[in-house]
């Protein structure tokens, strides 16, 4: 069943098929919601250890995928009924619902309901990666110890997967702690850029260089040390050991307070420490030994807005352009007019007919078809309640 979507005022003709595509997508989500509901009913009625085999054969899935589908169905029906209702209403897809289920796994039913209620008020226009970041923040606020518990569970399941793709190629994925993965990825990037800048690329693209460097490192090839910097944010009180408010790892999102404190003093990379003001969660101080004023402005913007501001984009700000909302020299180069934008979003604004309207702290991206996508800047750490006066 098709769900109509309101078109923006004065929308051009090409906006009509986009609106129809969105309507069909939401109709598919509704159908998937009803499918999950029926799978939960089946699991409750059957209770056999071979339920996944039955589902796999019927839905043409692998046994593992069928088990994951069944587990999600049961979790939504028993722990997250509002999320299941949102899928059936076409407001949420099963994949993002699975992220809510994963994030609330260590919580009690009562706390899970609190997280579910809050995230469903905001989830409709939120892509999966951003959803995971916001979920970690809400979970940590509801139960600060849960974030650490979830981290420990995930680390305990770290692994390496290898699977064939096509035409003689294969994929190797490493699952592990976000901080270590980020250090490893940055080292691959640094070496690849070093090869490119010193004439060692031999015509290879950056993606090809990254792949070759990563495999060379795993195979034991020794590269000259490449300097990397990783940014970790922690609330001032947590830095003093006086609070457990979560910190923030740039390029990933919220991490438990103790992780942030530990990372700030780790020695396997250059870790830039950023302190935040307790009452607001905004940037208070950027730890820096040597940088000129333009670099200081860049550091501040990248710390205050840790991702691209484009709709649905979570590319880390350190890998984005610093774009002038009002083109220079009409618009100044300051924190009010400069924001991080990945290269595709930067080019879309400069050459593709996109516009950005600033409304207070909100940057609203307007597409050529007239659709509007507000970017709401969030504090990168949790605001802390002001303690009562003595």
């Amino acid at each position: 069943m098709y769900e109509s979507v309101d078109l923006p005022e004065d929308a051009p003709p090409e906006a009509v098929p986009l609106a129809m595509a969105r309507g069909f997508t939401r109709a598919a989500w509704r159908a998937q919601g009803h499918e999950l509901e029926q799978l939960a009913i089946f699991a409750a009625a059957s209770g056999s250890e071979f339920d996944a085999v039955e589902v796999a054969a019927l839905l043409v899935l692998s046994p593992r995928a069928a088990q994951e589908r069944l587990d999600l169905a049961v979790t939504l029906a028993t722990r997250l009924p509002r999320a299941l209702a949102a899928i059936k209403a076409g407001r949420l897809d099963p994949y993002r619902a699975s992220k809510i289920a994963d994030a609330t796994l260590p919580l009690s039913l009562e706390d899970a309901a609190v997280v579910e209620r809050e995230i469903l008020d905001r989830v409709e226009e939120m892509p999966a990666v951003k959803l995971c970041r916001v979920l970690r923040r809400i979970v940590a606020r509801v139960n600060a110890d849960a974030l650490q518990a979830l981290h420990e569970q995930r680390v305990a399941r770290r692994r390496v997967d290898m699977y064939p793709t096509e035409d003689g190629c294969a994929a190797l994925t490493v699952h592990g702690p976000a901080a270590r993965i980020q250090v490893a990825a940055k080292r691959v990037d640094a070496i690849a850029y070093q090869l490119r800048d010193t004439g060692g690329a031999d015509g290879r693209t950056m993606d090809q260089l990254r792949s070759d460097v990563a495999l060379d490192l795993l195979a034991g090839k020794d590269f000259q040390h490449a300097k990397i910097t990783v940014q970790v944010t922690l609330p001032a009180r947590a830095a003093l050991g006086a609070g457990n408010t979560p910190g923030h790892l740039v390029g990933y999102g919220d991490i438990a307070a103790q992780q942030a404190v530990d990372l700030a003093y780790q020695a396997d990379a250059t870790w830039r420490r950023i302190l935040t003001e307790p009452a607001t969660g905004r940037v208070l101080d950027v730890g820096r030994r040597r940088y000129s004023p333009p670099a200081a402005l860049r550091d501040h913007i990248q710390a205050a807005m840790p991702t691209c501001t484009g709709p649905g984009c979570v590319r880390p700000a350190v890998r984005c352009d610093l774009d002038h909302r009002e083109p220079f020299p009409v618009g100044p180069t300051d924190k009010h007019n400069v924001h991080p934008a990945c290269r595709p979003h930067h080019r879309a604004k400069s050459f593709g007919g996109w516009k950005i309207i600033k409304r207070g702290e909100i940057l609203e991206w307007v597409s050529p078809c007239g659709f509007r996508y507000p970017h709401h800047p969030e504090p990168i750490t949790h605001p802390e309640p002001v303690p009562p006066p003595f």
Side-chain angles (χ1 to χ4, degrees):
M1 179 180 175
Y2 170 74
E3 174 187 320
S4 63
V5 177
D6 291 336
L7 284 167
E9 188 176 347
D10 300 325
E14 59 266 27
V16 176
L18 278 178
M20 292 184 66
R22 185 178 186 184
F24 284 121
T25 295
R26 290 176 181 268
W29 293 353
R30 289 201 300 272
Q32 290 172 318
H34 289 288
E35 173 203 334
L36 288 167
E37 183 178 53
Q38 295 305 311
L39 288 177
I41 294 172
F42 162 72
S46 172
S48 168
E49 64 177 292
F50 303 110
D51 285 348
V53 178
E54 180 83 42
V55 172
L58 189 67
L59 302 184
V60 197
L61 299 171
S62 69
R64 180 175 178 178
Q67 187 64 62
E68 290 174 351
R69 186 87 60 94
L70 271 174
D71 291 343
L72 176 60
V74 171
T75 298
L76 291 172
T78 58
R79 287 177 57 85
L80 302 167
R82 292 185 183 87
L84 179 57
I87 303 174
K88 291 166 58 180
R91 294 181 51 234
L92 179 65
D93 61 283
Y95 179 72
R96 288 184 296 158
S98 72
K99 299 304 179 184
I100 301 174
D102 288 345
T104 55
L105 190 63
L107 299 177
S108 67
L109 282 174
E110 294 76 11
D111 285 347
V114 173
V115 173
E116 178 190 38
R117 184 165 54 251
E118 183 169 342
I119 196 65
L120 288 180
D121 288 339
R122 310 165 58 185
V123 75
E124 196 158 347
E125 305 297 334
M126 194 179 291
V129 177
K130 184 174 182 179
L131 170 66
C132 291
R133 294 180 178 180
V134 174
L135 274 168
R136 283 193 295 271
R137 176 160 297 172
I138 299 172
V139 167
R141 191 176 67 246
V142 171
N143 184 341
D145 294 332
L147 195 63
Q148 181 66 22
L150 199 58
H151 168 70
E152 291 171 358
Q153 291 173 15
R154 294 282 190 268
V155 170
R157 296 203 295 267
R158 62 191 181 277
R159 67 189 187 278
V160 173
D161 292 330
M162 190 278 287
Y163 51 91
T165 51
E166 68 283 323
D167 300 325
C169 290
L172 182 72
T173 58
V174 182
H175 304 259
R180 295 199 67 196
I181 294 291
Q182 188 170 120
V183 168
K186 281 180 172 286
R187 195 168 301 284
V188 168
D189 262 4
I191 295 170
Y193 279 115
Q194 196 174 70
L195 287 172
R196 185 199 65 181
D197 295 342
T198 57
D202 300 323
R204 291 174 288 180
T205 66
M206 283 303 299
D207 281 340
Q208 291 169 341
L209 280 170
R210 290 185 184 100
S211 175
D212 292 346
V213 166
L215 293 175
D216 285 344
L217 285 169
L218 287 171
K221 184 172 181 179
D222 186 25
F223 286 97
Q224 185 177 356
H225 177 69
K227 182 181 177 181
I228 59 174
T229 301
V230 183
Q231 188 166 288
V232 62
T233 301
L234 63 160
R237 283 170 54 80
L240 297 172
N244 64 351
T245 301
H248 184 92
L249 179 65
V250 168
Y252 174 74
D254 282 12
I255 56 176
Q258 189 56 51
Q259 284 179 263
V261 172
D262 292 344
L263 292 178
Y265 299 101
Q266 238 173 244
D268 58 350
T270 300
W271 293 84
R272 176 175 294 145
R273 168 195 55 76
I274 294 178
L275 293 182
T276 54
E277 206 278 323
T280 64
R282 300 294 180 190
V283 174
L284 181 66
D285 174 66
V286 176
R288 185 190 309 111
R289 291 191 183 90
R290 58 185 190 285
Y291 286 118
S292 61
L297 175 62
R298 181 194 64 219
D299 290 346
H300 184 92
I301 291 170
Q302 291 173 346
M305 291 179 276
T307 66
C308 171
T309 60
C313 189
V314 293
R315 179 178 287 268
V318 292
R319 294 173 58 191
C320 291
D321 300 333
L322 290 184
D323 179 32
H324 289 74
R325 182 177 55 83
E326 293 291 337
F328 182 84
V330 175
T333 301
D334 61 23
K335 65 181 181 180
H336 302 292
N337 190 51
V338 176
H339 63 103
C342 67
R343 186 57 56 84
H345 278 119
H346 189 171
R347 288 178 52 78
K349 196 214 75 174
S350 299
F351 309 111
W354 284 74
K355 301 175 185 175
I356 299 179
I357 301 171
K358 187 173 175 63
R359 305 184 188 280
E361 291 191 349
I362 297 173
L363 294 178
E364 187 174 68
W365 289 67
V366 184
S367 79
C369 290
F371 295 103
R372 293 173 179 265
Y373 305 92
H375 175 81
H376 298 273
E378 297 191 22
I380 57 176
T381 58
H382 298 254
E384 299 181 31
V386 178
F390 293 105

